[in-house]
C-alpha cells in the first residue's frame, strides 16, 4: 500500500512538472509568431482491483494539446491575403499618383505654354524669335512626356522585381510546407501530435497566403495547397514551383508561370490573373492590369491626339519660306507584339485611322484556318468584343480596317493559331518627339486669301478664308461677282470654278444647301439679311478644293470678291492662331480639351489610389478583428498562465506532502520490526 501511495504521489509530481513546463513554454513563446497556446491533458491512471475495492494509481498526462481553430485560421489567412493584395496595389497606385502630380502642373503647364507661344506667333508671324520660343516650349513638352514614359517604364521594372522576389518566396514556403508534411507524418507515428511542427506549418501557410491567395485542403497526408485555378503548390510531401517569364503579349512585363514539380523540366504554363487572386502577387498583377497599363494608355492617347491635331493644323498653313507646313511632332505607330507561341513570321504593321481620337483599349489580331479559309479577326481584349474579321490578306493596298486600326502584313506569313497584341498608344510616351528642326517650320500663315474688291461700293465683308485637309488653292485668282436682286435681299454670286460644289450654310442652320457648278454662268444665292458661309469642294481644273469663307453684309451690284493663294505669308498669322485655338479643341473625345483630358487623367489616377486606400483600410480593420478573435482562442494569456503556475505549484506541493506521508508511514513500519 505504501508503494501505491508513493506511485500516486510521484504521478502527481510529474503532472505538476509537465503543467509548469507547459505554462513556462507558453509564457516564453507569448510573442512568437504562429505559436498556439498549449495545455496538458490529464487523465486518471489505470487502477487495480483489491479486496477493499478498486483503487486508483494516480494521474497520467495523456497529451499536451495546442489550442487551434481551423475556421478562424482560414478566415484570417484569407483576410490577410486580400489585405496584402490591396496594400500592394495601393502602395504602387499612390506612388504613381505622386509621379503624375497635379492636374495643373507638369505636362498640363507645358501644353498651355506651347499654345501661348503659338498665340505670340499669330500676333507677330514674321518674328522668328517668337517662333523659336514656341519651338522651345514644344521641346520642353516633349521632354516631360518622355520623362513620364520613363517613369512608367521604371514602375513596370519595379513591379517585375517585386513579382520575381515574391515568386521565389512562394517556392520557398511551398517547399517548407511539403517538408513539414513529411516530418509531421513521421512524428505522429507514436500517436502524439508534434505541436511545434504543426505551428510551423500553419505559420508557413499564413506567410504563403500573404504572397498569393491559396486554398488549403487537410487530409491524412497533411496539407494540400492550391492556387485559385486549382493548380497545386503542395500535395503531401511534394512541392510545385512557380516562375516568371516575359509576357507573351508585352515583353516589358512579366507573367507568372506554373512549372510543375520542383526540379522537373515541365513546360511553364502561364497563369491568368484569375489564378493569382489575393496576396502581394495578386496585388501586383491587379495594379499592372487595372491601373498602370490603362493610365499609360490614357496619357499615350492624349499625347498621340495632341501631336495629330497640331500636325494636321500645321499642314494646313504656309511657312515663312512660302512652303506648306509639315509635322511639328512625331509619335511612333501602334505597338504590335507577336505572341511568343507563334509559328509564323508575319510582319504586322498598324496605324490609327484617326490619330486625333486614339483608342486606349488593347486589341488582339488572330489568324485561324479552322473553317478551311484563312480568317483574320480583331478583338478588343479590354471589352472582349470582336471588332471585325476578314478573309482577305491585309496588305498596303487592301488593309484590314476595324476598331479604328488599319492593319497590314508587309512580309512573312501567319500560321493557324498565331496572334498579335496591339496597343494603339503603347509607344507614344517614349517616342514622342519634336519633328521640326527649325523654328521656321511653324506654318503661321493660311494658304488662301479671300478679299473684297477695292472698288466695291456695298457693305459686304468676307473673312480671309480657311482650308481643311486635302485643300488646294488656285494658281490664278478666282473672281466672284455679285448680282443684286431687283427687290428683296437674295442676290446671286457667280464665277465659281466649273466642276466644284458650293455648300451654303446660313447662321443658325446645321444643314447646308449644296449647288453643283456645271457651267461658268451657274449662280449661287446669297441672302444679305443673314449672311452665309461658303465651302468650295473640288476637284476643279484650276485647283480649288476644301476652301471656306464667310460673307456678311449687303454687296452692291457687280461687287467682286477674289479667292487666291496667300502671297503675304510673313504678315499672316491666321494658321498660327488656329494652332493656338487647339487649346479649346474637343477633337480628342468630343467633350474634353487636351488640358482638361490631362486633368481627367491625373484625377483618375488619384481617385484609383484613394479608392484602394479606403479598401485597404477597411480590409485591415477586418484583419485586426479576426486576429483578435483568433488570439482569444489560440493566443497566450499571460494572466491565465500566471494563475496556472500557482495551481501547478500547489499541486506539486500537495503531491510532495503525499510522498512525505508515505515515507513517514514506511519509517513507522520499519520501527515496529526493530
Amino acid at each position: 500500500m505504501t508503494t501505491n501511495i508513493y506511485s500516486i504521489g510521484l504521478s502527481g509530481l510529474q503532472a505538476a512538472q509537465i503543467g509548469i513546463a507547459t505554462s513556462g513554454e507558453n509564457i516564453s513563446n507569448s510573442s512568437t509568431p504562429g505559436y498556439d497556446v498549449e495545455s496538458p491533458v490529464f487523465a486518471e491512471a489505470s487502477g487495480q482491483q483489491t479486496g477493499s475495492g478498486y483503487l486508483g494509481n494516480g494521474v497520467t498526462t495523456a497529451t499536451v494539446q495546442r489550442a487551434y481553430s481551423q475556421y478562424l485560421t482560414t478566415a484570417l489567412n484569407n483576410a490577410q491575403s486580400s489585405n496584402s493584395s490591396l496594400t500592394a496595389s495601393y502602395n504602387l497606385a499612390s506612388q504613381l499618383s505622386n509621379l503624375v502630380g497635379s492636374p495643373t502642373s507638369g505636362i498640363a503647364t507645358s501644353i498651355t505654354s506651347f499654345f501661348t507661344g503659338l498665340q505670340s506667333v499669330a500676333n507677330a508671324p514674321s518674328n522668328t524669335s517668337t517662333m523659336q520660343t514656341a519651338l522651345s516650349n514644344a521641346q520642353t513638352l516633349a521632354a516631360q512626356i518622355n520623362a513620364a514614359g520613363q517613369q512608367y517604364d521604371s514602375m513596370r521594372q519595379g513591379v517585375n522585381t517585386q513579382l520575381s522576389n515574391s515568386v521565389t518566396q512562394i517556392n520557398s514556403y511551398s517547399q517548407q510546407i511539403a517538408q513539414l508534411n513529411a516530418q509531421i507524418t513521421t512524428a505522429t507515428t507514436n500517436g502524439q501530435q508534434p505541436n511545434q511542427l504543426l505551428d510551423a506549418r500553419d505559420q508557413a501557410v499564413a506567410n504563403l497566403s500573404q504572397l498569393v491567395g491559396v486554398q488549403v485542403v487537410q487530409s491524412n497526408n497533411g496539407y494540400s495547397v492550391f492556387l485559385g485555378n486549382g493548380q497545386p503548390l503542395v500535395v503531401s510531401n511534394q512541392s510545385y514551383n512557380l516562375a516568371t517569364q516575359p509576357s507573351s503579349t508585352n515583353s516589358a512585363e512579366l507573367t507568372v508561370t506554373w512549372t510543375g514539380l520542383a526540379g522537373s523540366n515541365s513546360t511553364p504554363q502561364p497563369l491568368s490573373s484569375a489564378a493569382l487572386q489575393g496576396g502581394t502577387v495578386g496585388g501586383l498583377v491587379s495594379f499592372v492590369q487595372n491601373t498602370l497599363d490603362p493610365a499609360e494608355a490614357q496619357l499615350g492617347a492624349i499625347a498621340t491626339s495632341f501631336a495629330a491635331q497640331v500636325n494636321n493644323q500645321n499642314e494646313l498653313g504656309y511657312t515663312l519660306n512660302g512652303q506648306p507646313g509639315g509635322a511639328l511632332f512625331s509619335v511612333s505607330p501602334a505597338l504590335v507584339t507577336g505572341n511568343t507561341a507563334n509559328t509564323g513570321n508575319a510582319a504586322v504593321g498598324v496605324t490609327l485611322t484617326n490619330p486625333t481620337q486614339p483608342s486606349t483599349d488593347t486589341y488582339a489580331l488572330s489568324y485561324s484556318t479552322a473553317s478551311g479559309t484563312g480568317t483574320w479577326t480583331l478583338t478588343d481584349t479590354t471589352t472582349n468584343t470582336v471588332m471585325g474579321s476578314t478573309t482577305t490578306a491585309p496588305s498596303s493596298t487592301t488593309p484590314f480596317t476595324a476598331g479604328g486600326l488599319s492593319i497590314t502584313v508587309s512580309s512573312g506569313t501567319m500560321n493557324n493559331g498565331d496572334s498579335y497584341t496591339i496597343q494603339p498608344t503603347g509607344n507614344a510616351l517614349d517616342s514622342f518627339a519634336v519633328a521640326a528642326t527649325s523654328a521656321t517650320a511653324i506654318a503661321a500663315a493660311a494658304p488662301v486669301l479671300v478679299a473684297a474688291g477695292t472698288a466695291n461700293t456695298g457693305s459686304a465683308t468676307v473673312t480671309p478664308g480657311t482650308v481643311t485637309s486635302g485643300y488646294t488653292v488656285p494658281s490664278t485668282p478666282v473672281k466672284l461677282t455679285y448680282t443684286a436682286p431687283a427687290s428683296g435681299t437674295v442676290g446671286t454670286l457667280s464665277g465659281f470654278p466649273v466642276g466644284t460644289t458650293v455648300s451654303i450654310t446660313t447662321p443658325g442652320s446645321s444643314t447646308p444647301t449644296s449647288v453643283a457648278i456645271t457651267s461658268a454662268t451657274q449662280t449661287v444665292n446669297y441672302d444679305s439679311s443673314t449672311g452665309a458661309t461658303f465651302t468650295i469642294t473640288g476637284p476643279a481644273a484650276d485647283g480649288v478644293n476644301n476652301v471656306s469663307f464667310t460673307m456678311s453684309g449687303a454687296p452692291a451690284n457687280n461687287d467682286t470678291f477674289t479667292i487666291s493663294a496667300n502671297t503675304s505669308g510673313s504678315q499672316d498669322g491666321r494658321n498660327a492662331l488656329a494652332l493656338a485655338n487647339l487649346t479649346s479643341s474637343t477633337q480628342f473625345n468630343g467633350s474634353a480639351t487636351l488640358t482638361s483630358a490631362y486633368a481627367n487623367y491625373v484625377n483618375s489616377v488619384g481617385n484609383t489610389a484613394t479608392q484602394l486606400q479606403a479598401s485597404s483600410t477597411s480590409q485591415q480593420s477586418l484583419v485586426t478583428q479576426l486576429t483578435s478573435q483568433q488570439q482569444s482562442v489560440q493566443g497566450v494569456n499571460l494572466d491565465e498562465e500566471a494563475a496556472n503556475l500557482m495551481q501547478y505549484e500547489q499541486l506539486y506541493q500537495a503531491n510532495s506532502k503525499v510522498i512525505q506521508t508515505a515515507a513517514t508511514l514506511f519509517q513507522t513500519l520499519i520501527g515496529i520490526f526493530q
Side-chain angles (χ1 to χ4, degrees):
M1 181 63 69
T2 304
T3 302
N4 189 49
I5 296 175
Y6 267 120
S7 299
I8 291 173
L10 287 173
S11 69
L13 283 178
Q14 186 179 23
Q17 289 175 339
I18 292 175
I20 292 172
T22 302
S23 291
E25 180 76 3
N26 290 338
I27 293 170
S28 62
N29 285 283
S30 59
S31 299
T32 301
Y35 179 79
D36 292 333
V37 65
E38 299 175 355
S39 59
V41 178
F42 300 126
E44 183 180 6
S46 300
Q48 59 182 4
Q49 182 71 35
T50 69
S52 301
Y54 197 85
L55 298 180
N57 282 322
V59 65
T60 183
T61 304
T63 188
V64 176
Q65 69 178 12
R66 63 182 189 133
Y68 177 72
S69 169
Q70 184 176 359
Y71 169 77
L72 288 176
T73 298
T74 300
L76 179 57
N77 286 344
N78 291 339
Q80 287 179 327
S81 182
S82 297
N83 186 55
S84 294
S85 176
L86 290 169
T87 299
S89 291
Y90 165 65
N91 288 339
L92 290 168
S94 177
Q95 180 183 347
L96 178 60
S97 181
N98 291 335
L99 290 174
V100 166
S102 167
T104 58
S105 63
I107 292 175
T109 300
S110 294
I111 292 175
T112 301
S113 297
F114 174 72
F115 286 133
T116 301
L118 290 172
Q119 180 67 58
S120 298
V121 173
N123 295 335
S126 62
N127 190 332
T128 56
S129 63
T130 59
M131 290 184 177
Q132 185 59 54
T133 299
L135 185 63
S136 296
N137 292 339
Q139 292 167 340
T140 298
L141 173 60
Q144 291 197 335
I145 291 177
N146 294 158
Q150 292 169 3
Q151 290 170 349
Y152 275 101
D153 294 341
S154 177
M155 287 204 70
R156 190 166 280 106
Q157 288 300 317
V159 170
N160 289 345
T161 299
Q162 292 185 57
L163 205 57
S164 296
N165 292 339
S166 296
V167 165
T168 299
Q169 291 179 290
I170 289 172
N171 291 339
S172 176
Y173 286 127
S174 297
Q175 184 179 14
Q176 183 180 347
I177 294 169
Q179 291 173 347
L180 286 168
N181 277 342
Q183 294 172 13
I184 291 169
T185 299
T186 301
T188 54
T189 55
N190 62 2
Q192 295 292 343
Q193 293 293 317
N195 293 333
Q196 292 77 12
L197 295 178
L198 294 173
D199 286 348
R201 185 174 64 181
D202 285 333
Q203 184 61 31
V205 171
N207 292 337
L208 179 62
S209 297
Q210 294 185 44
L211 292 171
V212 66
V214 294
Q215 298 174 346
V216 180
V217 178
Q218 189 171 2
S219 65
N220 293 333
N221 294 324
Y223 285 175
S224 293
V225 183
F226 302 91
L227 292 172
N229 66 341
Q231 291 280 28
L233 290 178
V234 179
V235 175
S236 187
N237 62 350
Q238 293 182 320
S239 64
Y240 299 80
N241 281 350
L242 302 181
T244 57
Q245 67 181 27
S247 170
S248 61
T249 58
N250 186 347
S251 59
E253 296 175 356
L254 291 182
T255 294
V256 179
T257 62
W258 185 81
T259 60
L261 281 171
S264 68
N265 295 320
S266 302
T267 301
Q269 301 178 26
L271 297 174
S272 67
S273 57
L276 301 170
Q277 296 289 331
T280 300
V281 169
L284 294 173
V285 172
S286 175
F287 169 74
V288 171
Q289 292 184 349
N290 300 324
T291 304
L292 187 66
D293 286 350
E296 184 176 21
Q298 186 178 0
L299 182 56
I302 294 172
T304 299
S305 179
F306 172 87
Q309 290 186 50
V310 171
N311 289 346
N312 289 346
Q313 188 61 53
N314 199 62
E315 290 167 358
L316 297 180
Y318 270 23
T319 67
L320 282 176
N321 300 326
Q323 299 297 318
L328 293 180
F329 296 97
S330 63
V331 180
S332 293
L335 178 62
V336 182
T337 305
N339 193 298
T340 54
N342 287 355
T343 58
N345 61 349
V348 176
V350 177
T351 57
L352 306 180
T353 56
N354 183 7
T356 63
Q357 296 179 340
S359 172
T360 58
D361 291 352
T362 300
Y363 299 83
L365 175 68
S366 59
Y367 180 72
S368 172
T369 58
S371 62
T373 302
T375 303
W376 287 262
T377 302
L378 183 70
T379 303
D380 184 334
T381 57
T382 302
T383 61
N384 198 29
T385 303
V386 175
M387 307 305 297
S389 61
T390 181
T391 56
T392 302
S395 66
S396 58
T397 55
T398 58
F400 173 28
T401 303
L405 306 175
S406 179
I407 303 168
T408 61
V409 177
S410 58
S411 63
T413 58
M414 290 182 71
N415 292 338
N416 183 49
D418 284 0
S419 64
Y420 291 79
T421 298
I422 302 171
Q423 296 170 282
T425 61
N427 277 329
L429 301 183
D430 290 332
S431 66
F432 191 91
V434 177
T437 57
S438 171
T440 57
I442 298 176
V448 67
L449 183 61
V450 181
T454 56
N456 287 0
T457 59
S459 62
T461 59
V462 289
T463 59
T466 59
V467 297
T468 55
S469 180
Y471 77 91
T472 55
V473 293
S475 56
T476 301
V478 172
K479 179 185 286 188
L480 305 180
T481 302
Y482 180 75
T483 300
S487 62
T489 59
V490 180
T492 60
L493 285 168
S494 60
F496 289 99
V498 176
T500 61
T501 298
V502 180
S503 298
I504 308 99
T505 304
T506 57
S509 173
S510 59
T511 304
T513 300
S514 296
V515 177
I517 307 301
T518 58
S519 67
T521 59
Q522 181 81 48
T523 61
V524 173
N525 289 341
Y526 170 71
D527 187 344
S528 61
S529 66
T530 61
T533 296
F534 299 90
T535 300
I536 308 170
T537 56
D542 57 5
V544 179
N545 187 32
N546 293 347
V547 173
S548 300
F549 66 93
T550 298
M551 180 179 292
S552 58
N557 192 50
N558 292 324
D559 278 358
T560 61
F561 305 88
T562 57
I563 304 172
S564 61
N566 185 10
T567 58
S568 58
S570 63
Q571 303 302 319
D572 183 5
R574 283 181 290 149
N575 197 57
L577 181 61
L579 283 166
N581 288 340
L582 289 176
T583 188
S584 58
S585 167
T586 58
Q587 291 184 57
F588 174 55
N589 61 10
S591 61
T593 64
L594 289 167
T595 49
S596 63
Y598 180 77
N600 292 338
Y601 150 76
V602 174
N603 290 333
S604 175
V605 173
N607 290 339
T608 297
T610 301
Q611 292 169 3
L612 287 171
Q613 181 184 30
S615 298
S616 179
T617 300
S618 176
Q619 190 65 27
Q620 181 59 52
S621 298
L622 177 60
V623 169
T624 301
Q625 179 182 353
L626 288 172
T627 299
S628 177
Q629 293 178 7
Q630 187 206 42
Q631 287 301 302
S632 68
V633 175
Q634 299 177 206
V636 176
N637 186 319
L638 293 178
D639 292 337
E640 184 177 329
E641 295 306 323
N644 288 340
L645 282 176
M646 293 178 62
Q647 177 185 353
Y648 294 137
E649 181 183 7
Q650 293 172 354
L651 178 63
Y652 190 91
Q653 291 173 348
N655 279 282
S656 297
K657 191 65 176 178
V658 171
I659 294 174
Q660 182 181 1
T661 300
T664 300
L665 292 175
F666 183 74
Q667 290 297 327
T668 300
L669 290 174
I670 294 297
I672 292 174
F673 294 101
Q674 289 180 346

